[in-house]
Amino acid sequence: MKRLVVVAMVMGMVLTFASTAPAADEYRIGAIYASTGPASALGLPEKNTTEMLVEELNAAGGINGKQVKLFMYDTEADPTKANNAVKKLISLDEVDVIIGPTTSGVTMAIIPPIEKAKIPLISCAASVKIVQPVKKWVFKTPQTDTMAVEKIYATLQSKGIRKVSIITVSDGYGDSGRVELQRLAPDYGLTVVADERYGGNDTDMSAQLTKIKGTDAEAIVCWGTFPGPAVIAKNRKQLGLTIPLYNSHGIASPKYIELAGDAAEGTFLPAGRLIVIDSLPDSDPQKSVLSAYKAAYEGKFGKNSVSTFGGHAYDAFKIAVMAIENAAKAGDVTRAGIRDEIEKITGFVGTGGIFNYSAEDHNGLTKEGFGMVEIKNGGWSLAQ
Amino acid sequence: MKLLRFILDPYARFALFALLIMGLPLVVTNEYYLGVLVVIAIHSIIVLGLDLLMGYTGQISLGHASFYGLGAYITGVLSAHWQWPPLAGLAAALLIVAAIAWIIGVPTLKLHGHYLAMATLGFGIIVFIFFNELGSLTGGPSGLTGIEEMNIFGVTFDSDREWYFLSVSFLLAVLLLSINVVRSRVGRALRAIHGSETASGVLGVNIARYKVGIFVLSALYAALAGWLYAHYITFISPSSFTFMFSVKLVTMVVAGSLGSLWGAIFGAALLTSLPEFLFVFNNYETLVFGFILIVVMIFMPRGLLRGIEDMFKWLWHAARKAPPTSRPGEERS
């Protein structure tokens, strides 16, 4: 047994050190996702999607006949680990472009080495801080939390709701959402009557919800990723709270329905159109892209497994590939060349919406990328 | 035999070690490997302090991540908001952390048993909550951006190579200090306290003073490491200073070899670098990591460094067909 472990360790080290210099006949793409750890519900579909797309692309002949080589590491949503992974991609694997990471905090943590090394990054995290102010080498694919807040608040306003309560998770995602929820409320004629927070690993939010029950709030907006929002949905049902519950786009994965069960019925979230393909009209420009991705992903990883997070990775990978293609046409497949090409991409129909990047906009989306989704009969459906 | 005595002399070992790691960049030139070594050096500094506390004095702290975090946040906040130079940030971090460690240490260290562990555990959680909730100052859960790069007397450190020499210099300074502490009268007092508080009290050792003193010193090591970390990554967020990181630090001390300074460095190096090599196991990385730890603890209950020493002793004696003469509990720096 001991010998086996030693052999395994030695093999691991040899494999690590045996990384070769870039061959001229391949393109190198780096990816870092939180495929394990607290954000794994988000990171795992991103990892699956990226692996699937690389396989597809190489089977179809790669980019201009050159194969794509993927270098992927797990950040575990830890800033120090992500920092090491980025350095590994930059100096050891010598990739041309990096996609990921999964979470906002980790993205902020790796921006300094990214900018220093001058390598394009396409993040799959939500926070608006990633692209505002614009950083030369940093792009992102998911809609920002600002857009999600706008979508929710516009819905509330149309229903005549004036008083709203918010409950946010204590991490980079919830924090960024909380700031936007408070900042934008007056623009939609809303008053925030309760502002509660919860810890990422909390298993009971009855206390916060009881406080909300004691106010005259007409709706709850919950900002978090797994498993918090599912717990909140359950507690809300137990406490007999009847005011509607709106979630952020951070729960747009089947995991939410699985965890919250019946309690998820009748709750809302703004989400990319990926999870409600069936309710989309055929005229929708995204429909064909979305169905193709969904069919491919679910064919490989099981029925109802597709989530918008994998979609963010899908968009990031496609954009990276498109930029490499264009850079090859321009005869400048360098980190700088690829960056310039990403900035020029317009009209790209992705899973998150239609992307129009520019020197001023490194996200390229508007809130129209979102639909308001209701959970009905254990599935997603587009709400009116 | 002369050679053996030379190797066993802690100062000779130190000189050899210093020579070795200062020459390492001649072989290791890649930025990534140097980056991992920088993180190892930073972790080693904390773990050395924790070993003085746990291995030598027998007091357990489950809150060292918070001292590490305080060091990082004090200099980070001063640098990001008021543009204090890093050295001034270091002075502030050391002063404030020393005061805080003393304030916690005085009441709790007079108690016996696991009260210190409990108190430091609570303290770690309180500090973590402060990092999260003092949003306007610390940036809250999203983290603190805008920390300046390391700059000492006008010399800027911005490549991993430069950072390697900087962090290793601090590590060597801390190691030398620790060797001196362990070999001095203070070190003997600390070991006496570990053995039996009552007995050492009878012999006239001022137990409370030594315990508080070593607790403050180990907190200062952590603060120094935090200061290095903040200016190295130039971004900090509460998620780096959780209770789990405190546990990881304790694991480094125990896996390395309790009560051995070299073991502490060994443990820090192993637990920091192993996950970097284990990524080839993909999703099973954590599983393999846990498995290796279990195997180490089963076959080398005295920690890795002592375990390897024991193994060599056993081989040596097996070769000479003589029974091994191990002296359990033997303490060496």
Side-chain angles (χ1 to χ4, degrees):
Chain A
M1 207 65 213
K2 256 164 108 180
R3 188 171 297 167
L4 198 74
V5 174
V6 171
V7 169
M9 274 175 67
V10 169
M11 267 174 61
M13 289 184 189
V14 167
L15 283 173
T16 315
F17 284 106
S19 168
T20 50
D25 55 347
E26 64 183 22
Y27 295 115
R28 304 188 147 211
I29 294 180
I32 41 170
Y33 299 120
S35 49
T36 63
S40 61
L42 285 61
L44 199 58
E46 294 173 343
K47 172 177 181 276
N48 288 342
T49 300
T50 311
E51 278 172 344
M52 179 182 91
L53 290 176
V54 170
E55 239 170 72
E56 250 173 44
L57 184 70
N58 283 338
I63 304 174
N64 301 333
K66 287 191 191 180
Q67 295 281 294
V68 167
K69 196 162 178 202
L70 178 70
F71 295 85
M72 186 151 53
Y73 304 114
D74 182 7
T75 65
E76 295 171 39
D78 175 67
T80 318
K81 282 227 168 78
N83 216 282
N84 282 343
V86 163
K87 280 191 189 136
K88 196 187 242 173
L89 289 173
I90 293 170
S91 66
L92 206 60
D93 305 327
E94 300 183 27
V95 299
D96 303 306
V97 53
I98 299 177
I99 55 182
T102 306
T103 56
S104 302
V106 169
T107 305
M108 297 308 289
I110 62 162
I111 286 176
I114 289 284
E115 298 248 281
K116 206 186 280 175
K118 298 190 168 40
I119 182 165
L121 174 82
I122 309 173
S123 171
C124 293
S127 175
V128 69
K129 284 187 199 164
I130 296 165
V131 288
Q132 276 177 19
V134 172
K135 291 153 200 82
K136 190 175 175 200
W137 297 90
V138 182
F139 300 83
K140 78 184 204 86
T141 54
Q143 306 89 345
T144 59
D145 24 26
T146 313
M147 295 169 204
V149 171
E150 283 171 349
K151 185 76 194 177
I152 293 175
Y153 277 178
T155 312
L156 293 181
Q157 195 182 28
S158 71
K159 289 190 174 173
I161 288 171
R162 307 292 298 272
K163 288 187 172 117
V164 63
S165 56
I166 62 176
I167 176 164
T168 55
V169 64
S170 298
D171 64 15
Y173 179 71
D175 197 45
S176 172
R178 181 169 173 247
V179 170
E180 297 302 301
L181 283 166
Q182 284 178 328
R183 186 173 70 84
L184 294 169
D187 297 355
Y188 291 86
L190 293 160
T191 322
V192 177
V193 292
D195 176 7
E196 296 295 325
R197 301 176 81 186
Y198 69 91
N201 297 318
D202 290 0
T203 49
D204 187 279
M205 273 68 119
S206 307
Q208 290 96 323
L209 289 172
T210 308
K211 269 196 204 161
I212 289 175
K213 204 179 176 185
T215 66
D216 51 356
E218 296 163 90
I220 308 170
V221 180
C222 163
W223 215 264
T225 48
F226 303 108
V231 178
I232 286 170
K234 277 187 177 166
N235 288 160
R236 165 177 170 266
K237 204 178 172 200
Q238 284 155 5
L239 289 170
L241 256 169
T242 50
I243 54 173
L245 171 63
Y246 285 83
N247 276 292
S248 71
H249 50 318
I251 59 151
S253 141
K255 196 107 189 163
Y256 172 65
I257 303 177
E258 192 185 301
L259 289 175
D262 282 352
E265 284 297 307
T267 60
F268 300 90
L269 68 144
R273 294 186 160 79
L274 178 63
I275 53 178
V276 288
I277 297 173
D278 298 335
S279 13
L280 289 179
D282 286 336
S283 59
D284 193 294
Q286 280 179 271
K287 185 153 185 172
S288 62
V289 172
L290 294 173
S291 340
Y293 169 57
K294 189 182 178 191
Y297 191 91
E298 295 194 340
K300 206 162 178 191
F301 301 104
K303 206 170 163 1
N304 286 330
S305 59
V306 80
S307 75
T308 55
F309 304 106
H312 300 325
Y314 175 95
D315 294 345
F317 184 78
K318 291 279 178 183
I319 287 166
V321 168
M322 208 187 296
I324 293 174
E325 257 169 352
N326 294 343
K329 260 180 230 158
D332 182 25
V333 193
T334 59
R335 289 169 179 176
I338 292 169
R339 190 215 78 92
D340 293 346
E341 292 301 333
I342 297 175
E343 205 165 66
K344 283 184 210 154
I345 287 174
T346 52
F348 164 66
V349 182
T351 66
I354 293 157
F355 288 84
N356 291 301
Y357 285 118
S358 69
E360 294 79 39
D361 185 359
H362 279 195
N363 187 3
L365 290 173
T366 62
K367 77 169 191 294
E368 305 317 317
F370 278 124
M372 188 53 80
V373 174
E374 184 180 358
I375 287 137
K376 256 189 201 163
N377 307 322
W380 317 98
S381 75
L382 205 58
Q384 295 316 310
Chain B
M1 245 27 222
K2 238 179 193 172
L3 182 75
L4 193 69
R5 204 167 299 145
F6 175 77
I7 291 169
L8 290 181
D9 179 65
Y11 293 104
R13 279 194 196 189
F14 175 80
L16 213 67
F17 178 67
L19 217 66
L20 212 72
I21 60 173
M22 278 301 182
L24 204 57
L26 291 175
V27 192
V28 182
T29 48
N30 187 284
E31 291 263 304
Y32 160 66
Y33 292 128
L34 288 171
V36 173
L37 290 170
V38 170
V39 178
I40 290 177
I42 291 174
H43 287 173
S44 297
I45 293 174
I46 320 174
V47 175
L48 277 176
L50 200 56
D51 193 31
L52 287 180
L53 187 70
M54 283 177 55
Y56 287 92
T57 325
Q59 311 296 317
I60 293 167
S61 165
L62 290 173
H64 259 55
S66 58
F67 293 120
Y68 179 47
L70 277 170
Y73 265 101
I74 291 166
T75 190
V77 168
L78 291 174
S79 168
H81 293 309
W82 297 290
Q83 283 77 47
W84 281 39
L87 274 185
L90 176 64
L94 292 181
L95 274 174
I96 297 172
V97 168
I100 293 175
W102 188 75
I103 291 167
I104 312 170
V106 165
T108 48
L109 286 160
K110 282 186 179 159
L111 303 163
H112 293 274
H114 294 97
Y115 289 98
L116 178 67
M118 308 249 279
T120 50
L121 171 73
F123 173 71
I125 292 167
I126 291 169
V127 168
F128 181 72
I129 291 173
F130 267 107
F131 290 157
N132 266 308
E133 298 296 322
L134 288 176
S136 56
L137 209 59
T138 62
S142 329
L144 183 67
T145 50
I147 302 171
E148 268 175 66
E149 288 196 331
M150 185 62 89
N151 182 329
I152 296 176
F153 299 125
V155 182
T156 316
F157 294 82
D158 59 359
S159 77
D160 284 284
R161 202 184 158 77
E162 291 162 356
W163 259 101
Y164 177 81
F165 288 112
L166 181 73
S167 55
V168 159
S169 307
F170 275 102
L171 171 62
L172 288 176
V174 164
L175 178 62
L176 195 61
L177 176 66
S178 308
I179 292 176
N180 280 332
V181 167
V182 167
R183 284 176 59 84
S184 68
R185 207 163 52 86
V186 180
R188 288 194 294 277
L190 295 178
R191 280 193 287 268
I193 292 170
H194 193 175
S196 161
E197 288 196 17
T198 321
S200 49
V202 168
L203 289 171
V205 175
N206 187 339
I207 302 167
R209 213 184 98 200
Y210 278 113
K211 273 161 78 176
V212 173
I214 205 70
F215 183 64
V216 170
L217 184 68
S218 76
L220 285 177
Y221 281 13
L224 170 70
W227 172 73
L228 284 168
Y229 177 79
H231 291 285
Y232 176 54
I233 307 272
T234 64
F235 167 91
I236 44 176
S237 76
S239 62
S240 306
F241 311 109
T242 55
F243 170 63
M244 278 320 291
F245 189 68
S246 292
V247 173
K248 201 169 170 190
L249 291 171
V250 172
T251 318
M252 286 178 190
V253 178
V254 176
S257 278
L258 267 173
S260 155
L261 297 175
W262 300 103
I265 294 175
F266 200 60
L270 185 84
L271 264 83
T272 309
S273 61
L274 203 52
E276 300 288 332
F277 296 124
L278 288 181
F279 83 94
V280 286
F281 294 102
N282 216 341
N283 288 342
Y284 304 101
E285 177 193 306
T286 320
L287 217 70
V288 176
F289 187 72
F291 181 73
I292 291 176
L293 272 189
I294 292 171
V295 169
V296 164
M297 290 332 277
I298 289 175
F299 291 102
M300 301 177 173
R302 301 207 300 147
L304 260 175
L305 193 74
R306 292 232 176 79
I308 292 169
E309 280 178 5
D310 286 352
M311 206 169 74
F312 274 112
K313 265 184 213 158
W314 184 83
L315 284 174
W316 172 256
H317 286 290
R320 299 174 68 191
K321 293 204 168 52
T325 51
S326 74
R327 286 166 288 173
E330 182 190 37
E331 305 290 348
R332 210 188 291 135
S333 54

